[in-house]
Amino acid sequence: MTAVTDQDHTEHADQPDDADQAGSDGSSAESSAGASSAEASQDTSGGRSQEHSDHDPHARVRDGRTDATDAWDDGLIARRVNETTEGNRFPTADSRSATPPAVTPLVYDGVLRSRLEALRELVGLSRTRLDSRTLAGAGRVLDEASARRRLSGQHTVVAIAGATGSGKSQLFNALAGVTISETGVRRPTTAAPIACSWSDGAASLIERLGIPPRLRRRPLPTGDAESQLRGLVLIDLPDHDSAAVQHREHVDRILGLVDAVIWVVDPEKYADAVLHERYLRPMAAHAEVMFVVLNQIDRLPGEAAEQVLDDLRRLLDEDGIALGEYGEPGTTVLALSALTGDGVGELREALGQFVAERGAPARRISADVDIAAARLWPVYATRRRTGLSEQAREEFADRLADAVGATAAGEAAERAWLRNANRACGTPWLRLWRWYQDRGEPATGRLPSRTQADEEATARQRVEQAVRTVADRASAGLPAPWAQAVREAAARGSQGLPEALDELSVRAGVPTGRPPRPGWWPVAVLSQASMTILQFLGGLWLLGQIVGVMAPNLGVPVLLMVIGIVGGPLIEWSCRLAARGPARRYGLEAERRLREAAAGCGRARVLDPVAAELLRYREVREQYGRVVGA
């Protein structure tokens, strides 16, 4: 069995190889296992210089034992491992029989935790206002952030992605130091993602990617190189432009789960529109967790490599990807040749430093939050001042007051007060004359009044117009979903509002019974009664003189009658002047009560629900500000 790691030496030295047991009887199994271990040690020290084409693709049995070198060097790729019994001969990254190492969960910093909490609050407050498709992206980010936080924080999962023929599998093998992923001219070569872990404890991370144990590998132990990349989990993806739909689905799914990506391009396809428009441009926010590698520079003569690299940087800049130049955070752009090894060491060094920082998972989640926030911008952000102004509230109350006839009710109350004052303080003869006029006035001489149905229809139209106006003003400048929510809240509140206002106008309109009387009213009534008594006394005195009962004296009775006749209208006129102020105040009070009642009804049914929607929007705006870091 070919040795791939120190762990593999131990495992295969202690137990017989399954393939050896399949190819020999029980008596030779023990010796075959020992011989395989010895051959494995020799292969590790001596290298693997034989070509894949020189060996049978199946394991061969020589002298009762399996040739382990041939089994490793035949270039069996992951998708063929499961097709033969020899597939189990490739050691996996995590042994099932060994005790799993302790895993330290990932810990987000305070800023990222605050943003995630704000995003969770934002989604919760918006579920009843926005459709599920709008919130789906934010929900996925929260789910992935929660899932990643429970997994190892000591490992960084990096995917190698590229187009057909870009040499990504060759680069994958160069970083691992051993041929793990098959390379060749037949396309597509990589049919399923393959994982290579440089340290233990990454099983849960790889399982999250959906990579089965048979496709998990360990790199060739090379001392410093292995320690330099400790904590790295490298994933070789299928071609993103593969003709097989399943391959592209693998790429899209895993790219959404890994911590970082190495994009491998070649001099022929580095400007491919599919790569830039489908992947690089949408992932511009992930610039800090991306590497862009120009492979196959050995094919470019002279300074052509630098020219192509400069053009690649230009295209990345047009995609909106920040480049990590001059010590600034951003995408690392390198040129190398996986075939000759030129530049691979520089990539390994940059990748080792990147993994050692252990900040890629948090930066990836932070970039995902940025993208989710950018997609939610149209449904949360507005550049206008929103809300319901005090002027709009007052105008709404005025419209409702007009609908219930508050002004007319106040005027009616004022007239009622004056009428009562005239009845109490007017002369009896004048009241008798008015009663006679009112009784003798023909009904045909009056203007026809509007029917009650007409008044109710007009009042309803006024109420509906008032509700529409206040809803439009409250929703002005809001994003479409929240403006719709405000208008719907106003429409729900307007149902039954005209009937409620009619009931209020009856209860809070002109009060029944006599209006309150001012303090001077009894004095005026007593004075008017005195004038009437003087008129009666003067008349009786004159009548007695005419009959002969009393001595003739016209001066006194005539004076008394004149005082009563003149004094009565004079007192009535004075009382009418004095009654104007109290009557006006009484009418205004009646109008105020009705206005307040109408405004209170409109506020409870329309303004309060609208204000609640506006408050909810302000809350989500605050949470959205926390999400975007404002």
Side-chain angles (χ1 to χ4, degrees), residues 422-482:
N422 290 335
R423 288 174 181 174
C425 303
T427 62
W429 322 116
L430 185 59
R431 292 201 300 271
L432 182 62
W433 173 253
R434 289 174 178 170
W435 172 79
Y436 176 75
Q437 283 185 332
D438 292 341
R439 184 179 181 182
E441 182 179 3
T444 57
R446 297 180 181 178
L447 294 175
S449 59
R450 291 187 305 172
T451 62
Q452 184 178 1
D454 293 338
E455 293 180 353
E456 290 180 356
T458 303
R460 182 178 295 274
Q461 291 175 359
R462 289 179 178 177
V463 171
E464 292 175 354
Q465 180 63 28
V467 172
R468 284 195 300 269
T469 301
V470 76
D472 291 341
R473 292 191 176 183
S475 60
L478 291 176
W482 301 99

Side-chain angles (χ1 to χ4, degrees), residues 188-200:
T189 304
T190 306
I194 303 175
C196 181
S197 175
W198 267 255
S199 57
D200 297 332

Side-chain angles (χ1 to χ4, degrees), residues 246-261:
Q246 185 179 8
H247 295 181
R248 298 196 301 269
E249 291 176 350
H250 279 311
V251 174
D252 294 342
R253 178 180 59 82
I254 294 181
L255 284 179
L257 300 175
V258 296
D259 301 325
V261 185

Side-chain angles (χ1 to χ4, degrees), residues 377-438:
W377 168 268
V379 297
Y380 289 115
T382 176
R383 299 186 184 278
R384 294 182 54 184
R385 182 179 180 181
T386 59
L388 202 57
S389 65
E390 191 63 29
Q391 180 182 0
R393 294 173 180 270
E394 292 177 357
E395 291 182 1
F396 178 67
D398 291 341
R399 289 175 181 268
L400 294 184
D402 292 340
V404 298
T407 302
E411 294 175 353
E414 182 179 356
R415 289 194 300 270
W417 205 97
L418 288 174
R419 188 163 50 250
N420 290 334
N422 290 335
R423 288 174 181 174
C425 303
T427 62
W429 322 116
L430 185 59
R431 292 201 300 271
L432 182 62
W433 173 253
R434 289 174 178 170
W435 172 79
Y436 176 75
Q437 283 185 332
D438 292 341

